[in-house]
Amino acid sequence: MSDQTVKLLNYTDIAKLLGVDRRYLVAKLSKKPDFPKPTLKVSRRTVWWSEKDIWDWASKKARQG
């Protein structure tokens, strides 16, 4: 068994982390082809992403300018 725990983030968590409005995240950012795929999708409204995937994506975007 792995010692690493995957922290999951929902839309609200990601919006806070990125400093954007939740509605903007849902309507625009999460629809971009390079945005990470959800780690867990319970329903259309209940979606969870790996915190690491979001950080990796945000870091890549920051490097691109």
Side-chain angles (χ1 to χ4, degrees):
M1 188 177 266
S2 175
D3 289 339
Q4 290 190 350
T5 302
V6 175
K7 182 173 180 186
L8 298 177
L9 306 175
N10 61 21
Y11 283 118
T12 302
D13 299 328
I14 296 168
K16 286 179 187 175
L17 184 120
L18 298 177
V20 299
D21 184 77
R22 184 183 183 282
R23 289 173 290 181
Y24 175 73
L25 172 66
V26 172
K28 301 287 185 185
L29 287 182
S30 67
K31 305 261 190 297
K32 292 184 176 262
D34 65 335
F35 194 80
K37 299 298 179 220
T39 302
L40 178 64
K41 189 168 185 174
V42 178
S43 70
R44 193 174 72 111
R45 299 181 102 190
T46 306
V47 185
W48 298 88
W49 286 263
S50 159
E51 181 181 39
K52 181 187 179 315
D53 290 349
I54 297 301
W55 276 115
D56 290 349
W57 177 81
S59 295
K60 181 180 172 187
K61 295 305 263 185
R63 285 192 305 271
Q64 291 175 351

